[in-house]
Amino acid sequence: MDFVKKWEERWDEALKLWSDYVKLTPAKFLFSASEEKVEGLTGSFAAIRLLDHRVLLSVEQIQKYKLEDYPLEIMGHEIGHHVYCPGDLTDQAKLIYLAGLALPRLGHLTSTIVNVYEDLYINDHLKRYQHLRMEEVYQRIGKNKDRFWNFYMRTYELLWALPSETLTDGKVDDLIQSDASLVCRMIRNFPNDWQKGMFDFASICFPYFFDENGVGSSNIQNLSTILDTLDAGKGMTPPSGITDIEVESEIFSSEIGSLTKRELGPADFSSICKAMGIEADISDIVYRFYKDKALPHLVPFPELRTPGAKENILEGNELWDPGSPIEQINWIESTIRSPIVVPGYTTVEDLYGEVESMEVRTNPIDLDLFVDCSGSMPNPQTSLSYLTLAGAIISLSALRTGSSVRVTLWSGEKEYETTNGFIRNEKEILKVLTGYFGGGTCFPLDLLEEGYKEKPKRKRHILIISDDGIDTMFTQKFPRDPRSIAKNALEKAEGGGSMVLQLYNPKGNSIVNEMGKSGWEIYPISNWEDLIQFSKEFVQRNYVRNQILR
């Protein structure tokens, strides 16, 4: 245990390997297997944790591999994960996705391949620029006959001009030599843009985990000692900013096709989070996904703008009338006119005119959003739902202007979920939006009726996203007249009502035509993707122009 104190004393020196300005909490030393289990360090002698930007070190395993004399090599490597590659959770997520594209049927290995790929950049940097003894660390870990391990070690031999069999076990074959040469070029070509080489590296690694019969050939357990980023995201929330990712390849361009930018779906995002060790509910993952998808499209939401009260401006003085309040007398001006004050003769009061106020009061229009979630609609938790995305765009836009939002997800009779009234909590709003029923279709008239028994304090706009199933608003069996309920809601809301509908026959739907004549603005669309454009035009068409009300 004597080495621990010496390592602690060299922590600042390890930080300066990367920059004089790097500040991180000192490494945490774990002295027993139980401590390692609590902290999430399993298998490796070192690991990082992005949650609190911490480096974890196993005292027992460092002693097992006789690594006590390599504090800068090991601590400098772990610091490199925090400040260089990947640096943050978002970059880690992108690398995980790119590796997954190149590793079909090997999803359980994506985080492992990403880990060894990142290690190549960090170790090469420390060896070339800081002249650390990185190869000696691998020599202490020991050689291995595994083909992937030897390919990986041969790459280091080429990067650092080491003699053959310094790290490899025996002479490597031509395929390993060729693959190692390719990877060596990638590491040197993309030292500051490692995302460019991730797909190619994972594609090169892929065959090493299958033999000629398609059965796994490499033993992943051989790598466990050096894996230090497997659960880097543990305890963290899903990362933001990952809705599409550039896929680049210098070697396997034919495999990725002409499409270089891949748009992620909810299932992709969920897989990425799982691979990084993020233990989050599906609702939290889907919430983050749709919020990020919506952010680039946010637009100003409807609001009424009214001028403030007119402002008074001093124009001069006039004779004070004895019948006016005495506090209106301007005594200074009166005594200037005459040292002898005679009320009604020498006293004056200020004369004011009015000018238009430059202040404008905004009166946000609240949003009452009804989203169809019947069996004809996609499940937003497994595939991209443009209904959910459009709802997120419009709801988040509404929140930006101070509006409150009520979201109702509806399917069959008495089958709906709604927010607790009109709220401003974006997470609760998106939690409802990203839910799913997948049942029958029956518009929740009872909710519409209950919400508009009285005139609301602020204007509301009622927006409904659906398909031909919207006719259930008028055709369902209900104790009271459905048409009267819808008409009353429109009148009490005072902010208008819109229906954006994917219709089989827009012109021939008599119920929808009747709705249009009764005051609803009908916006037919041909496919769900059109909802994104609708969400932008919706505000521009109805509210952005002519906002000033006199």
Side-chain angles (χ1 to χ4, degrees):
M1 304 294 181
D2 294 340
F3 76 92
V4 173
K5 186 175 181 180
K6 294 180 181 179
W7 281 41
E8 290 174 336
E9 292 172 351
R10 303 194 72 180
W11 174 254
D12 288 338
E13 186 180 350
L15 289 173
K16 290 181 179 180
L17 293 172
W18 295 97
S19 170
D20 290 338
Y21 304 102
V22 174
K23 299 294 181 184
L24 286 176
T25 304
K28 186 171 185 177
F29 289 86
L30 309 176
F31 294 88
S32 66
S34 59
E35 280 187 86
E36 293 175 18
K37 185 176 181 180
V38 170
E39 297 293 339
L41 179 62
T42 55
S44 176
F45 53 79
I48 66 163
R49 192 165 57 198
L50 292 175
L51 177 64
D52 52 1
H53 297 94
R54 204 73 188 266
V55 170
L56 305 175
L57 298 171
S58 168
V59 173
E60 290 184 354
Q61 295 206 56
I62 289 172
Q63 291 177 319
K64 174 184 175 182
Y65 292 104
K66 297 179 171 55
L67 296 170
E68 296 92 335
D69 294 332
Y70 300 93
L72 294 183
E73 285 78 6
I74 294 174
M75 292 193 297
H77 176 93
E78 301 308 323
I79 293 168
H81 279 300
H82 280 298
V83 303
Y84 176 43
C85 183
D88 59 38
L89 199 63
T90 299
D91 279 352
Q92 179 77 354
K94 291 177 180 179
L95 295 178
I96 289 286
Y97 176 73
L98 292 170
L101 284 180
L103 296 170
R105 296 181 292 158
L106 293 177
H108 61 290
L109 293 181
T110 54
S111 54
T112 297
I113 298 302
V114 168
N115 198 155
V116 297
Y117 177 69
E118 293 167 343
D119 286 356
L120 282 166
Y121 284 101
I122 295 171
N123 290 334
D124 189 51
H125 178 92
L126 293 174
K127 177 67 177 177
R128 293 183 69 200
Y129 299 106
Q130 302 299 337
H131 310 292
L132 298 183
R133 303 163 296 166
M134 306 309 296
E135 74 280 5
E136 294 183 22
V137 174
Y138 287 103
Q139 287 175 327
R140 293 296 177 99
I141 293 172
K143 296 182 178 182
N144 195 298
K145 292 186 179 296
D146 181 76
R147 280 181 56 77
F148 180 78
W149 180 263
N150 279 292
F151 148 66
Y152 186 49
M153 291 298 107
R154 183 55 185 160
T155 303
Y156 282 125
E157 290 178 347
L158 294 178
L159 282 170
W160 303 332
L162 300 175
S164 297
E165 301 185 42
T166 301
L167 301 176
T168 54
D169 188 354
K171 185 178 180 180
V172 299
D173 57 44
D174 291 341
L175 179 60
I176 289 179
Q177 179 70 22
S178 174
D179 288 344
S181 298
L182 282 174
V183 174
C184 182
R185 287 167 50 193
M186 288 163 47
I187 301 303
R188 292 291 164 81
N189 287 340
F190 309 128
N192 297 312
D193 194 4
W194 46 87
Q195 187 175 324
K196 283 186 176 181
M198 184 70 257
F199 181 86
D200 286 343
F201 179 76
S203 298
I204 292 171
C205 294
F206 181 78
Y208 287 93
F209 296 94
F210 290 95
D211 59 20
E212 62 274 9
N213 298 316
V215 180
S217 58
S218 279
N219 184 3
I220 196 65
Q221 295 300 322
N222 295 327
L223 297 169
S224 61
T225 304
I226 62 171
L227 299 180
D228 51 359
T229 66
L230 292 188
D231 294 320
K234 192 170 184 178
M236 299 189 71
T237 57
S240 60
I242 310 174
T243 56
D244 50 57
I245 295 177
E246 293 282 349
V247 184
E248 299 183 59
S249 174
E250 299 290 332
I251 306 171
F252 301 97
S253 56
S254 59
E255 293 187 13
I256 64 174
S258 59
L259 184 63
T260 57
K261 179 174 283 189
R262 298 295 178 98
E263 188 175 22
L264 273 66
D268 296 321
F269 191 58
S270 180
S271 297
I272 290 171
C273 291
K274 183 178 179 181
M276 293 191 295
I278 296 176
E279 300 172 348
D281 293 336
I282 186 64
S283 59
D284 292 331
I285 292 174
V286 177
Y287 153 70
R288 170 55 64 185
F289 173 79
Y290 280 100
K291 180 181 178 181
D292 286 347
K293 291 287 287 185
L295 286 177
H297 305 287
L298 296 191
V299 289
F301 194 73
E303 61 179 19
L304 299 179
R305 298 173 61 200
T306 58
K310 292 183 177 181
E311 297 178 354
N312 292 329
I313 184 170
L314 181 64
E315 294 182 344
N317 305 108
E318 64 178 359
L319 190 65
W320 175 75
D321 190 305
S324 300
I326 193 171
E327 59 267 18
Q328 291 184 359
I329 297 175
N330 187 329
W331 293 104
I332 295 177
E333 193 67 32
S334 296
T335 53
I336 290 174
R337 288 196 174 196
S338 173
I340 302 173
V341 177
V342 180
Y345 292 94
T346 64
T347 50
V348 295
E349 62 178 299
D350 293 331
L351 177 65
Y352 292 92
E354 288 186 341
V355 294
E356 293 289 342
S357 172
M358 298 302 292
E359 294 183 0
V360 174
R361 286 181 291 190
T362 59
N363 303 290
I365 297 178
D366 291 338
L367 172 66
D368 199 358
L369 177 61
F370 293 83
V371 180
D372 191 343
C373 189
S374 57
S376 58
M377 307 301 170
N379 185 343
Q381 297 178 5
T382 57
S383 58
L384 178 59
S385 169
Y386 286 97
L387 289 89
T388 302
L389 181 54
I393 292 170
I394 297 172
S395 296
L396 294 178
S397 296
L399 295 180
R400 277 191 170 185
T401 63
S403 299
S404 295
V405 178
R406 178 176 74 167
V407 173
T408 302
L409 206 64
W410 57 278
S411 182
E413 185 176 358
K414 300 292 183 181
E415 191 176 29
Y416 59 79
E417 183 179 4
T418 185
T419 56
N420 185 22
F422 287 80
I423 62 175
R424 291 189 45 76
N425 186 320
E426 68 174 33
K427 190 168 185 179
E428 291 300 316
I429 289 168
L430 290 180
K431 185 177 180 180
V432 172
L433 268 176
T434 54
Y436 189 67
F437 288 111
T441 306
C442 185
F443 186 83
L445 270 176
D446 54 337
L447 197 63
L448 191 67
E449 180 183 38
E450 183 66 27
Y452 294 91
K453 285 185 175 180
E454 298 179 0
K455 181 179 176 180
K457 294 180 180 179
R458 293 204 306 194
K459 295 181 184 295
R460 297 175 183 172
H461 187 92
I462 304 173
L463 175 61
I464 301 172
I465 303 177
S466 183
D467 55 12
D468 291 275
I470 191 59
D471 61 5
T472 59
M473 176 184 279
F474 282 3
T475 60
Q476 65 177 280
K477 293 181 179 179
F478 200 74
R480 290 161 295 285
D481 180 23
R483 290 167 174 79
S484 297
I485 294 173
K487 181 180 179 182
N488 174 70
L490 278 179
E491 291 176 351
K492 295 283 180 65
E494 293 189 333
S498 303
M499 294 182 179
V500 53
L501 308 171
Q502 186 183 46
L503 301 173
Y504 177 74
N505 183 9
K507 296 182 179 179
N509 193 314
S510 59
I511 297 295
V512 172
N513 291 336
E514 181 185 351
M515 290 173 172
K517 293 176 182 178
S518 65
W520 294 92
E521 292 287 342
I522 308 297
Y523 301 101
I525 58 174
S526 57
N527 55 69
W528 292 124
E529 288 87 341
D530 293 341
L531 280 169
I532 306 305
Q533 187 61 31
F534 161 80
S535 63
K536 298 177 182 179
E537 296 177 352
F538 161 67
V539 175
Q540 296 292 335
R541 185 188 298 117
N542 293 289
Y543 298 100
V544 171
R545 293 172 296 179
N546 304 319
Q547 289 179 310
I548 303 295
L549 301 183
R550 300 292 179 182

